[in-house]
Each structure stands twice: as C-alpha cells, then as structure tokens.
Amino acid sequence: MIERKEYIDKLLSYKDKDIIKVITGLRRSGKSTLLELFRNRLLNNSVTPEQIQFYNFELPENYLNKSWEVLYFEIKSILQVEKPNYVFLDEIQNIADFEKLVDGLFVTPNVDVYITGSNAYLLSSELSTLLSGRYIEISILPFSFAEYLELRGIGTNNKHLNYEALFYDYVNETSLPKGVELREEGFDKVYEYLEMLYATIIEKDIMQRHKINNKRAFGNVAKFVAANMGSPISPSSISKALKADNQNVHNTTVENFIEYLVGSFVFYCVNRFDIKGKKQLATLEKYYLVDVGLLNVLVGRDRTADRGHILENVVYLELLRRGYKIWTGTLRDSEIDFIVKNRIGEIEYYQVSWEISSAETEEREFKPLETVKDNYPKFLLTTESFPQSKAGIIHKNVFQWLLEK
C-alpha cells in the first residue's frame, strides 16, 4: 500500500486543531484508504484503538434504520471522555441530515472529526453555512504518474527507463488505485472495473440524486465532454451537436448535466482568464477528466491521435495535486494552457505540447509565452529528451517534471 504522503502530512498538520477535516473526491479514488493510513499513523503514535471510531457508511449495517440522532448518541456513548477522540465518518452523504451529526460532534470536547464524501454537494450551501470557517477541504485525486510507477515497483533512478512507454501504460489503463492493482490480470479486468465504477457513479451519485430520466442524453453529454477534454466548450455547442444527431436537449439541461458530472468529480472545470484585461471570463470553459483511463469507457481505447490533449489532462491534474489554483490564459490571438497561482499568490505559466519537432510547432508553443511580458516563471513541457530553453522560458521534459518531488 502506498502511503500518500502529501495527504497524510496535510491531515497531520490539522490533527487536534479545532477544525473539521473534509476529504472529497471521486468514488474509489482512495479516500477510505487515506483514512485507514491516517488511523494507522495515529495508532503508531500512542493513540489507543478505543480513542478511534471509524464508520464506513457504504456498509448498510452502519446506516440502515439509523437517523443522525441515533448515530450521534451511539458515537458519544463510547467516547473516551478524558482523552482526545478521533471520529472518522466515511461517505457521510449517505446519512440524512448528516450536517447535524457533524456539527454536534464538532462542538463536543475532545473530539476531532474527519469526514469523506464522493460529491461536491457534501459542501453545499447548507453545510458550508452551518460549518462556515470551521472546516478544511482536502480534495484527493487518483494516483499521480510517480505513484503509479511506485505501485508497479519501478524505480525512477534508472536513467534508461522508457518513460514514454510507461506513460502510455498509465493513460491507457487507469490511475485509480484498485484498477492499477488489477493490471496484472489483463486490460479486460481493468476495463470491467472502470465500466462498473462509472456506472455506479452515474446511477448512484447522479441519476438517482438528480432524478434524471433521459439517460441517453446524459450519457451523450458526458461522452461529448470527454471527447473534447482540454478544448473550450459551451452548453450551446453541445446542444447543437446533439441536435445534429436528432437529440433535442436544451442548453440549460446540458449545463445541469455538466454541473452534475463536475459535482461528482468525474470532470474538473477550468475557467478562462483574460491576461491583458486581468479578469476571469465566464464562457467557453475547459474540462479535464479525473482519470484518463475513463476514456476507455466513454470514447473508446484508440487515442494516440489525441495524445497532446491527454498529456495536457495529466499535467492539469498534477498542477491540482501540487495545490495550485488554475486558469486557461487567453490572449488576443492565442492562449496559454495554464496560468496557476500558488498558496502565497505567486503566478506561473505552463504550455503543454507532446513535441515541438517542427519549427512551426516550436513557434506556436513558445510564442504565447513570449507575448507575456511580466517576470513570472514560464514553462514549456514536452516529451523531448533534450529540452532547449530560450527567451527566459524554461523548457522541461514533461516526464521528469511529473516525477519532481
């Protein structure tokens, strides 16, 4: 089992602080495992088993016929009154009025509360208002390229590794923990796992919750967004495309469908930023898939022709892991793939391309970065083995960048 150090360190930094820890992310992205790893860390640091209560609310025996009040008094009845207590509530959205349970435990002395959930509505307006200023959200993603190699037992100190081939494995299979474990059993097993997971997300987290009847239209919207990942799209453009295929789906319905997919962490939305005007734009957002392996289910397996957008998707997720806020940069005649801002407000620019083997491609990728005249760091990430920086723009091999600590 990989210890997901950056997430564990973040949880440790908030341990025993008067704040609720909220872990969000896609189903099966590793939230429950993270809680188990953190529980083990506590047990190895003088916390007794009696001080820890762990409830997995995907197991029916933990929630059937139990209201939030019943659970609240059940948990309180076995607290160690004179010691710190750690309460883990996994997939808490399965409990009606769960925010009352969380709030009641939070105000109980000597109780440190950790909750997880598989949709963004966990932090809906009601809960965020109730817990305003009293929670920290930790959004978990599937395995990074570095974690994927670690799980496969591939050491990165070997300078002769074929990173391109390993990267194709990574994006053609899956970055989801269970799926990586299944890879030894063959691609068919990985595909079946992804198909089952996607069906569960669509049925449980979206269809049932939002009472969607037109499953075909919803499925086609999801496929359209996946097929156009990394490209600016709008609800109206999707509606027009569906209409050309004899499906009448209103713009507003398309917009709602996309919102549900983003809310369940299947896609992540990136807004455009006008670099010259220094303002965020409200149209033609880009969307990136939480796990590129899901393209197998959504649009088919043969994707080598779209490797540039796939690489861009992986870079986006890595920037997200590193804690950046991310936008797409818009210039008058071009765009920059990502403008990012770190926790202390420092800006960086990233352009992503599979390769710049021709003079035309090289100019296309360098020029937007050269157009920006500020002094913030500018990076071009490609698969070239011998990157050549110029005009103050740092050209890096993308595989080495993905493996940076």
Side-chain angles (χ1 to χ4, degrees):
M1 185 184 292
I2 291 177
E3 179 164 310
R4 311 197 70 182
K5 190 174 185 304
E6 72 274 24
Y7 297 119
I8 294 290
D9 287 347
K10 189 172 282 189
L11 286 174
L12 285 170
S13 71
Y14 289 106
K15 174 179 168 287
D16 297 324
K17 298 288 195 312
D18 193 26
I19 194 164
I20 298 161
K21 277 63 75 173
V22 181
I23 302 165
T24 59
L26 185 79
R27 280 181 180 269
R28 305 292 177 262
S29 57
K31 300 185 298 298
S32 302
T33 302
L34 179 63
L35 286 187
E36 289 169 10
L37 288 167
F38 185 64
R39 176 173 62 180
N40 292 340
R41 183 69 73 91
L42 293 177
L43 292 171
N44 290 332
N45 285 277
S46 304
V47 175
T48 66
E50 292 75 24
Q51 291 172 259
I52 301 173
Q53 295 188 54
F54 198 118
Y55 291 81
N56 178 353
F57 292 118
E58 283 196 304
L59 296 173
E61 60 265 32
N62 285 334
Y63 66 82
L64 282 180
N65 301 317
K66 288 186 179 180
S67 63
W68 75 266
E69 299 104 314
V70 170
L71 285 164
Y72 174 71
F73 288 109
E74 180 181 311
I75 292 168
K76 288 204 75 168
S77 69
I78 50 178
L79 292 175
Q80 305 293 299
V81 181
E82 301 301 325
K83 297 179 180 178
N85 292 266
Y86 303 91
V87 179
F88 300 119
L89 307 172
D90 195 14
E91 299 295 352
I92 187 69
Q93 75 274 356
N94 289 330
I95 303 299
D97 297 321
F98 68 85
E99 60 271 17
K100 296 175 183 176
L101 168 63
V102 173
D103 190 46
L105 292 171
F106 174 70
V107 298
T108 302
N110 289 331
V111 174
D112 199 8
V113 183
Y114 300 78
I115 66 176
T116 79
S118 295
N119 60 61
Y121 307 105
L122 187 72
L123 291 173
S124 64
S125 57
E126 294 172 20
L127 180 60
S128 58
T129 300
L130 182 65
L131 305 180
S132 180
R134 297 185 289 168
Y135 71 87
I136 180 74
E137 182 182 9
I138 299 170
S139 186
I140 192 169
L141 289 164
F143 285 149
S144 66
F145 185 48
E147 288 174 320
Y148 170 80
L149 295 180
E150 183 184 345
L151 192 66
R152 285 185 57 181
I154 297 171
T156 55
N157 293 326
N158 182 350
K159 294 181 181 179
H160 303 291
L161 279 179
N162 185 344
Y163 284 115
E164 186 170 327
L166 292 167
F167 181 81
Y168 274 124
D169 286 348
Y170 176 61
V171 298
N172 281 325
E173 295 165 5
T174 182
S175 59
L176 289 159
K178 181 64 177 176
V180 179
E181 291 175 13
L182 288 170
R183 71 177 307 277
E184 295 300 327
E185 298 181 34
F187 179 78
D188 287 349
K189 291 291 184 190
V190 175
Y191 181 85
E192 286 170 12
Y193 172 74
L194 291 174
E195 199 172 36
M196 177 206 68
L197 174 62
Y198 182 70
T200 302
I201 292 167
I202 297 307
E203 190 61 40
K204 283 192 174 182
D205 297 339
I206 299 178
M207 294 287 184
Q208 290 179 13
R209 180 182 179 88
H210 300 288
K211 299 179 175 58
I212 296 172
N213 296 318
N214 193 342
K215 292 187 178 183
R216 179 168 173 258
F218 180 85
N220 286 332
V221 169
K223 288 175 183 177
F224 187 97
V225 177
N228 291 276
M229 68 181 190
S231 297
I233 58 175
S234 67
S236 61
S237 66
I238 298 174
S239 182
K240 286 177 184 175
L242 293 177
K243 193 170 185 179
D245 195 35
N246 296 316
Q247 295 177 75
N248 285 316
V249 187
H250 194 271
N251 296 1
T252 306
T253 303
V254 172
E255 190 172 359
N256 289 337
F257 286 173
I258 294 174
E259 184 183 317
Y260 303 153
L261 287 160
V262 171
S264 296
F265 304 105
V266 176
F267 291 99
Y268 287 81
C269 176
V270 179
N271 292 103
R272 293 187 304 143
F273 188 85
D274 180 352
I275 294 174
K276 188 175 181 182
K278 298 190 184 306
K279 62 182 179 181
Q280 181 171 299
L281 303 174
T283 58
L284 292 173
E285 298 89 348
K286 289 185 176 183
Y287 294 89
Y288 295 97
L289 199 53
V290 66
D291 170 51
V292 178
L294 284 169
L295 285 173
N296 294 316
V297 176
L298 288 163
V299 297
R301 192 180 179 191
D302 184 18
R303 305 187 303 277
T304 52
D306 201 28
R307 61 187 184 178
H309 276 138
I310 288 170
L311 182 63
E312 188 181 315
N313 199 114
V314 171
V315 168
Y316 167 76
L317 293 173
E318 186 60 30
L319 289 168
L320 207 57
R321 281 188 194 91
R322 296 180 186 185
Y324 289 109
K325 291 184 177 179
I326 307 168
W327 297 266
T328 293
T330 300
L331 297 159
R332 179 177 291 178
D333 300 315
S334 59
E335 68 174 30
I336 294 172
D337 290 325
F338 303 117
I339 303 175
V340 303
K341 186 183 287 187
N342 66 16
R343 291 183 182 89
I344 58 174
E346 295 170 334
I347 292 170
E348 294 175 0
Y349 299 90
Y350 287 87
Q351 194 76 328
V352 184
S353 179
W354 186 262
E355 58 187 9
I356 51 170
S357 51
S358 69
E360 182 184 352
T361 308
E362 183 176 337
E363 182 182 1
R364 187 185 70 223
E365 299 302 337
F366 271 104
K367 190 174 180 181
L369 294 171
E370 291 172 356
T371 303
V372 181
K373 299 302 182 184
D374 62 37
N375 294 317
Y376 292 116
K378 300 171 182 68
F379 298 93
L380 173 61
L381 304 177
T382 74
T383 62
E384 263 84 14
S385 299
F386 302 100
Q388 301 290 319
S389 299
K390 72 172 189 179
I393 296 162
I394 304 164
H395 184 191
K396 284 192 170 188
N397 174 273
V398 68
F399 305 130
Q400 295 299 327
W401 178 83
L402 287 168
L403 297 174
E404 287 175 3
K405 299 296 183 185

